[in-house]
Amino acid sequence: MKIKDRLLNLVGLGVNRRLPPPHYKAIAPGLLVTTTKAEAWFSIRTANTDTQSEARRDAQLENVLRRVTSTLRGVECHLKIVWGRVSGDDYVEDAATFYKAGDWERWVNERADRIDDLAIPERYIMIGVTLNSSRQENLKATAADGMSDVLGLSTGGSVSEAELLHYQGQMKKIGRQLRKSDLGATVAPSSLIAWMISREQRREISPAAPSADSLTGASLSRLSMGRVLPYADHLRFYDANGEVASYGRILILSSFPAFYESTTENPWLLSLSNITRIGENEEDMGYEVPVIADASTRFKVLAPGPASKTLEEAAKLAREQRRSAAKGVAEEPAEEWKEAEENLRQMVTDIRRDGVSLIEHHTRIMVTGRTYEELEMNSTAVINHYSDSGITASIGEDEQRDLWLEMQPGDQLRVQDLGNLQTDVMFFSSWFWGGSQVGQRHGAPVIGTTTGSTQSLVRFDALGGGQRGDATTTAMLGRSGRGKTTLIQLAELDAAFRGAWVNHIDFKCEAAGVSHAASSYGLESQVIRVGSEHSGAFDLFHVFGVDRAKTQVARQLSLMASHSFSDIAETATLAGAEAIAATENPTTWDVIQWLCAHDNEAWRNLGRSLETLAKTHVGSIVAGKPSGKRVLREEPGLWVIQMPDLTLPSAESDFSSWDVEMRLGLVAMRA
């Protein structure tokens, strides 16, 4: 380092602070290229840590420590937690790919309106990894001649296809290793990288992200057209009309407790989603209001050698400070420095003996507000939140410009003296990828929202298992009154809008409403109630082809018959089904009448017994005389079958012990 740079560092004006803002050259899937560097960017999936057991949580943390620290050791990395807003328009666009029946557009638009009303914050977790490239050699040259205060495109050079392919190879190599971890890392789409850049410069007025796979030239220039004015303790973001659109403030996490266990109830980065304050405006007076705060953490996993050296130097400094403080009047500072010295030496031991990695990180928290007063309230809420966990959060006084530039993707660490040294366990105990996440993100209907440490839409598709070649049975369990029936009916309606055949068996006779809802949206639907009104609706002659129907109808009638007819039931019913199947419109009722008119007395007695059973409210729907209201159809729609007071035999019981209600109940269920 030159003597001039050393002197400037002493007064806080080192070379990194004098660098111009990043000039973006190209964005491609998983890649961001500026005039000085290339970065690989990965999107991190939210893990459902809220419902994990302690053992599974520890195993996941161990997996991340083992995989991630080895992959990223010695590389400059940038972790970003950025909040967007769940959009009803996005759901409308997505739903058009899987709905097709009835008035599904109205169904989707009503749900999209509800999504917009909820205003759910959507968390994006991104990790950028600096790639080894010749562009790093341009760093000092850029610092020497770059004086712009506006982010945008540089005038020199472009990124060749060969260079992009080279970076892509490096990015894929890192991505393969990260995918082996429980972070669930995937290559970040170009649109997400572009949105992240735009978000940092426009905050509340950030436009929708472009959808192109790669961006260069004018597309990149439009992303960096935001205007930001730094003040001593805050930032002001301006709209296209020159009006202040929002206020921002960057906080620094300057000190942590000596020990921070992974089992803590308030992980220091995951807890960003839990910060609230009491509303003071007219519309939210007295209510808890969420405080949306973004995080930017530039970190580096140190190799064992440099890590030990860094800690030894820090321990030496603590020892000198302790001795200096001991000469003063008060003895308390000496004890504090002694404790710090002991902690640092313990970390050296852990690194050498247990293979613990050391991580140097510089964490910044961006707080925003529509007004300066709201910014003050939000900042206080964040500072108090971290204070409750023993973490000191403070305003980056007179550093707002450099701290803001440091948060930009493609930039670098600028304020080097405001960082922390932690073990890998303590750093990853922030659980930045944790939260509450259920279901898939796209391609399925929205049925609700999570209410855990992170809020998100819950998507569920009852048809999804079969489409994935997975299990096709789904159980919805829970205590009474918790919404199981509502969830089932929502899933049924969504399946019907997808063009499925939906059969709801309603034992309690309380689901007629779902059929009425389906009909109101133009879906085929009908309520079928067991009884004489729908006599013959479950006749299997109406369902199967004639050849298969013969054996199925005979089986139904054999099950209906009393066990006293067990010696003739199978033969007689099969003979009757064979005879009636040859007629023009065969029905089960016709088979019974054929038996009643048979020459064999025993067969006639069987027929009369079955005729009596076919006139009961359960037996009639299976074997009764057709009423002409055959409503259970095979075409797609939602069919509610109400079966009140149905009695079914247990699987362990013997057939000879079944009474009439058990036999009829089984026959109805089988139909």
Side-chain angles (χ1 to χ4, degrees):
M1 183 182 290
K2 296 180 180 179
I3 295 177
K4 180 183 72 173
D5 290 335
R6 291 180 181 273
L7 293 174
L8 288 172
N9 277 334
L10 290 175
V11 294
L13 296 174
V15 63
N16 282 17
R17 291 177 184 257
R18 292 181 286 121
L19 290 172
H23 291 275
Y24 300 113
K25 303 295 294 182
I27 296 177
L31 290 175
L32 173 62
V33 184
T34 71
T35 52
T36 60
K37 68 192 300 189
E39 293 178 340
W41 279 93
F42 303 93
S43 179
I44 305 301
R45 182 186 66 240
T46 295
N48 190 14
T49 55
D50 286 359
T51 59
Q52 285 180 351
S53 65
E54 185 174 347
R56 176 68 186 100
R57 187 182 176 95
D58 291 342
Q60 185 173 127
L61 181 60
E62 177 60 30
N63 173 276
V64 170
L65 292 174
R66 184 176 68 256
R67 298 284 187 182
V68 177
T69 54
S70 60
T71 300
L72 302 182
R73 182 168 286 124
V75 182
E76 293 180 359
C77 303
H78 192 184
L79 168 66
K80 290 189 67 64
I81 299 176
V82 188
W83 295 89
R85 187 75 68 186
V86 176
S87 168
D89 290 339
D90 291 341
Y91 180 63
V92 171
E93 183 178 349
D94 189 32
T97 64
F98 52 80
Y99 283 134
K100 62 180 182 181
D103 189 5
W104 64 265
E105 292 94 343
R106 179 162 65 95
W107 174 256
V108 169
N109 286 325
E110 288 173 356
R111 193 168 297 186
D113 290 341
R114 177 57 178 157
I115 290 172
D116 287 335
D117 290 341
L118 291 172
I120 300 171
E122 186 171 26
R123 186 181 66 169
Y124 295 89
I125 312 166
M126 309 279 286
I127 286 185
V129 182
T130 300
L131 303 176
N132 295 325
S133 73
S134 58
R135 288 186 174 268
Q136 290 281 23
E137 298 172 3
N138 299 328
L139 191 63
K140 290 186 178 180
T142 305
D145 57 26
M147 300 298 292
S148 172
D149 283 332
V150 181
L151 301 181
L153 292 176
S154 66
T155 57
S158 61
V159 184
S160 67
E161 184 176 352
E163 188 178 0
L164 278 177
L165 288 173
H166 172 68
Y167 298 144
Q168 189 178 59
Q170 291 181 298
M171 177 265 293
K172 288 182 176 179
K173 183 177 180 181
I174 297 171
R176 282 193 295 270
Q177 297 302 315
L178 290 180
R179 278 194 297 274
K180 294 178 182 178
S181 76
D182 283 350
L183 287 183
T186 57
V187 173
S190 303
S191 56
L192 185 55
I193 300 173
W195 175 82
M196 179 175 58
I197 294 172
S198 182
R199 162 77 172 165
E200 288 301 337
Q201 298 177 55
R202 305 188 185 210
R203 308 307 296 177
E204 298 299 327
I205 56 170
S206 180
S211 58
D213 286 338
S214 60
L215 298 131
T216 58
S219 298
L220 278 178
S221 181
R222 284 193 294 271
L223 289 175
S224 51
M225 289 173 62
R227 183 186 172 203
V228 184
L229 189 60
Y231 284 74
D233 67 341
H234 71 280
L235 302 156
R236 295 184 183 181
F237 297 86
Y238 291 83
D239 60 21
N241 298 320
E243 301 292 332
V244 177
S246 61
Y247 295 80
R249 172 174 290 154
I250 301 175
L251 306 177
I252 304 160
L253 302 188
S254 54
S255 67
F256 287 76
F259 299 99
Y260 201 85
E261 298 293 337
S262 64
T263 55
T264 179
E265 296 180 357
N266 213 20
W268 56 276
L269 280 179
L270 174 58
S271 66
L272 278 175
S273 57
N274 297 329
I275 303 176
T276 61
R277 63 172 175 81
I278 302 301
E280 297 185 10
N281 297 324
E282 183 177 346
E283 65 272 13
D284 55 28
M285 181 71 71
Y287 292 96
E288 278 198 2
V289 178
V291 176
I292 305 300
D294 292 356
S296 172
T297 298
R298 292 190 175 273
F299 70 95
K300 187 174 185 178
V301 182
L302 303 180
S308 297
K309 183 178 179 181
T310 300
L311 288 174
E312 288 172 351
E313 290 176 352
K316 181 180 178 181
L317 176 62
R319 182 170 61 253
E320 292 174 354
Q321 293 287 351
R322 174 174 56 82
R323 291 172 178 173
S324 175
K327 297 177 181 179
V329 177
E331 294 296 324
E332 289 81 359
E335 291 299 322
E336 293 177 3
W337 284 107
K338 183 178 180 180
E339 182 181 356
E341 183 182 353
E342 291 174 352
N343 291 335
L344 290 167
R345 292 200 174 279
Q346 181 60 48
M347 291 173 70
V348 174
T349 302
D350 292 341
I351 289 173
R352 292 176 175 173
R353 183 187 61 194
D354 301 329
V356 174
S357 296
L358 187 68
I359 294 179
E360 180 181 3
H361 72 91
H362 299 73
T363 298
R364 323 304 187 200
I365 306 296
M366 168 68 84
V367 186
T368 57
R370 291 168 296 180
T371 64
Y372 185 79
E373 291 73 21
E374 185 177 291
L375 176 66
E376 286 285 341
M377 291 187 290
N378 289 343
S379 300
T380 301
V382 174
I383 291 172
N384 292 340
H385 167 81
Y386 278 110
S387 176
D388 292 340
S389 300
I391 300 172
T392 301
S394 56
I395 301 173
E397 295 280 0
D398 299 317
E399 304 277 9
Q400 293 292 301
R401 175 189 178 275
D402 288 328
L403 291 174
W404 176 73
L405 288 172
E406 191 181 281
M407 295 180 72
Q408 309 304 311
D411 205 82
Q412 59 275 311
L413 181 64
R414 291 174 179 267
V415 187
Q416 297 174 307
D417 54 336
L418 297 176
N420 293 275
L421 284 172
Q422 292 181 341
T423 62
D424 53 1
V425 176
M426 187 170 182
F427 179 77
F428 285 101
S429 289
S430 65
W431 285 98
F432 56 82
W433 71 99
S436 176
Q437 179 70 43
V438 181
Q440 58 198 83
R441 292 183 64 90
H442 302 286
V446 170
I447 59 170
T449 63
T450 60
T451 57
S453 57
T454 57
Q455 191 177 7
S456 61
L457 296 177
V458 177
R459 292 171 176 258
F460 171 71
D461 181 9
L463 310 177
Q467 293 171 339
R468 295 189 300 269
D470 203 344
T472 57
T473 300
T474 301
M476 299 178 184
L477 309 174
R479 286 182 289 177
S480 178
R482 297 304 175 92
K484 298 186 299 299
T485 301
T486 302
L487 174 58
I488 289 171
Q489 292 177 347
L490 280 174
E492 289 173 341
L493 285 167
D494 285 324
F497 280 115
R498 300 196 68 169
W501 183 87
V502 183
N503 177 14
H504 182 122
I505 301 177
D506 183 15
F507 294 107
K508 297 181 180 179
C509 296
E510 61 182 12
V514 71
S515 176
H516 302 325
S519 298
S520 71
Y521 284 94
L523 293 169
E524 292 292 328
S525 185
Q526 181 68 51
V527 178
I528 307 163
R529 188 180 180 89
V530 170
S532 57
E533 181 184 358
H534 294 116
S535 181
F538 290 3
D539 193 332
L540 297 187
F541 269 122
H542 298 159
V543 178
F544 299 113
V546 173
D547 289 338
R548 188 179 178 191
K550 291 184 295 186
T551 57
Q552 293 293 343
V553 168
R555 180 59 177 156
Q556 291 285 81
L557 292 175
S558 296
L559 289 171
M560 285 177 62
S562 169
H563 59 272
S564 62
F565 293 103
S566 60
D567 57 334
I568 64 169
E570 183 175 308
T571 303
T573 56
L574 185 56
E578 287 275 3
I580 297 301
T583 63
E584 185 177 354
N585 294 307
T587 67
T588 302
W589 175 257
D590 291 337
V591 175
I592 295 174
Q593 297 308 306
W594 183 88
L595 289 171
C596 289
H598 201 273
D599 295 339
N600 187 304
E601 184 179 1
W603 286 26
R604 287 199 304 273
N605 291 335
L606 171 62
R608 295 189 187 100
S609 175
L610 292 174
E611 184 180 42
T612 301
L613 294 175
K615 293 179 179 179
T616 63
H617 77 285
V618 176
S620 64
I621 200 167
V622 177
K625 184 178 182 179
S627 64
K629 295 183 178 180
R630 180 178 165 262
V631 292
L632 182 58
R633 306 200 297 269
E634 294 83 13
E635 57 264 32
L638 199 160
W639 317 106
V640 177
I641 302 173
Q642 295 188 331
M643 307 179 78
D645 305 321
L646 207 64
T647 303
L648 296 173
S650 67
E652 296 78 17
S653 63
D654 185 75
F655 174 73
S656 61
S657 66
W658 295 358
D659 60 21
V660 173
E661 288 188 345
M662 291 178 180
R663 296 199 307 273
L664 292 178
L666 181 64
V667 168
M669 280 299 297
R670 187 172 184 275

